[in-house]
Amino acid sequence: MNNAELAARDLRHLWHPCTQMKDHEWLPMIPIRSGRGVWLEDFDGKRYIDAISSWWVNLHGHANPRINAAIADQLERLEHVLLAGFSHQPAIELADRLVEVAPPGLERVFYVDNGSSAIEAALKMSYHYWRNLGRAGKHRFVTLSNSYHGETLGALAVGDVALYKETYQPLLMEVITAPSPDCFERDPGESCEEHALRRFAEIETILRAQADEISAVIVEPLVQCAGNMRMYPPIYLSRLRALCDELEVHLIADEIAVGFGRTGTLFACEQAAITPDFLCLSKGLTGGYLPLSVVMTTSGVYQAFYDDYATLRAFLHSHSYTGNPLACRAALASLELFAENDVLARNRELARVMGEATAALNDHPHIAEVRQTGMILAIEMVRDKATRTPYPWRERRGLTVYRHALSRGALLRPLGNVIYFMPPYVITAEQIHLLAEIAGEGIELATR
Ligand SMILES: *Cc1c(COP(=O)(O)O)cnc(C)c1O
């Protein structure tokens, strides 16, 4: 079996995510045979460094021996059981561990089974909380421009990436969109903090005027990942937390992408020293092994649902694979690895290397900026550096970088014109330098 044979067979029946399938008339599909550490190997025996952690899920490398063993052990005991009326040890232990490591005050763990569904659950819980308090008028959600929260209809509605959203607009609930604190949009001479505070004043105006109708504000703390890895400083979050408290509006933190060390701290909210009312986690939760997500919330929220059955205040939301034991065991093993290997400390050094290895690209005539938050580093290509005019999207320049990287043995799947590194934490300094070299070459080709 080689790549070409498998790709041909694939294209007979599969419909791939986030893909115009016609592209595969000229863009080869790459069937992967195995993975180990940062490496993926295809059926022709070619190897690729997984520089984007397979869409931001992998933390400790592919085929991590510790996580493999935990799942194998669990498989011998219990593969799955429903979580209503029943429970199991992995779900209980993982909830304990998550409460220990999450921002203080998040004492309840609601299991879901993917990121978008966690967002759906958090939105419903927030509204339902106000309804249970007799304030059903608080039914609207505020989101930030350029945000992304998933692809199901509710999650899509609170997101703002036109590419994914526009087509489905007639199907979506109406939300209030406040301008993002995204530092890329700052004025010349303005600092990221000044810009974030200016943008904060705008959401403050919205919230003060409409708090009576608003259930929650939903944000991606520090990095809007799917929105081209745009970044903003923690001060926006600390101000927003205080304002939401004052106006009795929930704050939903979507750390599905940025959680579990991506921004340098275990959770991005820590850098603003805040506790959201709802914390959504998925992607890295299982170390990149199995679909699982959680909504964490406070005892206060939980208590608003706790009553006699006949009051009909319960949160009657569920998914078939809620809290799957195999996934929970993978998550527990992943958290153990953080503690044992002092992953966050090691990442500080790796993050420094990523910055250093790409610093020269700042001077490139078609790079607007190289930006970084912890283990996420993004390089934004533009047509005109002075005015930050983007390349027209139809030119698909990122694809040139993608294809060059593949030829050189790296998986660097860009977001439009933004090349980024979001590697597994087992990457080495040497591999980071290689990625920077490959990205540099690809950018040369793409901006000619
Ligand atoms: C990926 C992502 C989601 C959606 O998670 P899925 O598991 O893909 O449904 C939601 N929010 C953010 C910030 C994400 O990056």
Side-chain angles (χ1 to χ4, degrees):
M1 212 75 98
N2 63 25
N3 278 10
E5 284 161 15
L6 269 171
R9 197 168 150 191
D10 172 296
L11 293 172
R12 279 205 289 278
H13 294 300
L14 265 75
W15 191 344
H16 287 264
C18 205
T19 300
Q20 170 48 266
M21 293 299 292
K22 192 166 189 285
D23 279 357
H24 285 303
E25 289 180 9
W26 51 271
L27 186 67
M29 159 79 50
I30 303 173
I32 294 298
R33 174 166 58 195
S34 62
R36 185 151 296 268
V38 296
W39 294 101
L40 295 169
E41 186 179 320
D42 71 17
F43 276 77
D44 290 346
K46 187 167 172 57
R47 302 206 310 158
Y48 311 87
I49 297 178
D50 186 356
I52 62 161
S53 300
S54 286
W55 266 352
W56 325 338
V57 298
N58 191 284
L59 300 184
H60 309 290
H62 294 277
N64 182 284
R66 270 295 285 284
I67 304 179
N68 286 4
I71 294 173
D73 178 70
Q74 184 58 40
L75 198 51
E76 293 299 317
R77 298 163 196 268
L78 174 69
E79 83 298 337
H80 188 68
V81 65
L82 77 168
L83 210 58
F86 290 80
S87 193
H88 55 80
Q89 206 173 342
I92 295 165
E93 285 180 4
L94 180 57
D96 281 353
R97 284 294 291 141
L98 288 172
V99 169
E100 275 170 33
V101 298
L106 294 171
E107 292 166 348
R108 282 285 154 187
V109 178
F110 187 88
Y111 283 105
V112 208
D113 54 17
N114 65 76
S116 302
S117 298
I119 298 297
E120 302 280 344
L123 297 173
K124 285 174 69 179
M125 249 183 211
S126 171
Y127 164 69
H128 197 162
Y129 169 89
W130 296 118
R131 190 177 187 278
N132 281 349
L133 261 57
R135 301 176 69 180
K138 286 169 78 69
H139 65 271
R140 304 192 68 187
F141 295 98
V142 177
T143 186
L144 299 180
S145 58
N146 189 46
S147 58
Y148 178 87
H149 298 290
E151 307 282 349
T152 56
L153 293 177
L156 202 56
V158 295
D160 185 49
V161 177
L163 181 64
Y164 307 127
K165 182 171 181 176
E166 231 160 57
T167 309
Y168 308 102
Q169 194 68 60
L171 311 183
L172 306 177
M173 72 172 161
E174 261 180 58
V175 298
I176 302 165
T177 307
S180 168
D182 170 9
C183 184
F184 192 74
E185 294 180 348
R186 72 192 181 279
D187 285 341
E190 199 178 28
S191 73
C192 287
E193 277 74 16
E194 286 163 351
H195 176 255
L197 290 174
R198 192 155 60 76
R199 289 289 165 90
F200 175 75
E202 300 192 47
I203 199 170
E204 179 170 13
T205 304
I206 292 169
L207 290 178
R208 287 202 183 280
Q210 300 179 74
D212 284 351
E213 316 171 1
I214 296 171
S215 183
V217 179
I218 181 166
V219 296
E220 293 159 274
L222 301 187
V223 188
Q224 296 186 309
C225 292
N228 291 347
M229 299 293 169
R230 294 295 180 81
M231 300 173 182
Y232 62 91
I235 190 161
Y236 185 85
L237 295 172
S238 44
R239 292 291 171 94
L240 186 59
R241 174 69 281 182
L243 183 66
C244 286
D245 280 342
E246 182 197 330
L247 299 176
E248 300 188 311
V249 167
H250 288 144
L251 180 60
I252 302 174
D254 175 356
E255 293 218 21
I256 290 166
V258 296
F260 300 102
R262 293 290 182 197
T263 66
T265 42
L266 193 60
F267 299 108
C269 282
E270 292 170 35
Q271 295 182 41
I274 62 159
T275 297
D277 299 285
F278 300 94
L279 176 66
C280 299
L281 303 172
S282 187
K283 292 209 165 92
L285 173 59
T286 61
Y289 267 67
L290 288 159
L292 181 72
S293 62
V294 295
V295 179
M296 298 186 69
T297 190
T298 61
S299 298
V301 167
Y302 177 75
Q303 283 304 326
F305 292 79
Y306 195 89
D307 208 337
D308 295 328
Y309 184 82
T311 63
L312 295 178
R313 287 178 171 214
F315 189 58
L316 301 180
H317 180 109
S318 65
H319 295 281
S320 310
Y321 284 100
T322 288
N324 175 263
L326 299 168
C328 290
R329 279 297 294 276
L332 281 163
S334 171
L335 285 170
E336 281 165 22
L337 285 168
F338 269 100
E340 282 168 25
N341 301 342
D342 208 353
V343 168
L344 295 178
R346 184 171 180 278
N347 282 359
R348 277 193 283 281
E349 173 58 13
L350 291 174
R352 193 189 62 73
V353 174
M354 291 202 323
E356 209 174 75
T358 52
L361 285 169
N362 271 307
D363 301 327
H364 191 283
H366 290 288
I367 300 297
E369 71 173 7
V370 180
R371 54 180 172 269
Q372 182 177 15
T373 301
M375 289 296 284
I376 307 172
L377 183 136
I379 306 160
E380 182 139 352
M381 299 189 294
V382 286
R383 190 172 69 192
D384 188 309
K385 191 177 176 110
T387 59
R388 296 191 155 186
T389 310
Y391 283 114
W393 62 268
R394 281 195 174 80
E395 294 177 2
R396 302 182 78 179
R397 287 175 187 257
L399 203 53
T400 304
V401 182
Y402 172 70
R403 299 191 76 182
H404 173 74
L406 286 177
S407 76
R408 291 275 274 117
L411 166 49
L412 274 175
R413 186 186 158 102
L415 290 156
N417 293 321
V418 174
I419 321 302
Y420 68 92
F421 302 161
M422 195 157 160
Y425 304 155
V426 294
I427 197 166
T428 64
E430 201 182 350
Q431 288 162 342
I432 290 170
H433 280 285
L434 177 60
L435 286 179
E437 188 183 310
I438 294 170
E441 295 162 1
I443 289 163
E444 254 342 289
L445 290 171
T447 57
R448 275 214 288 246

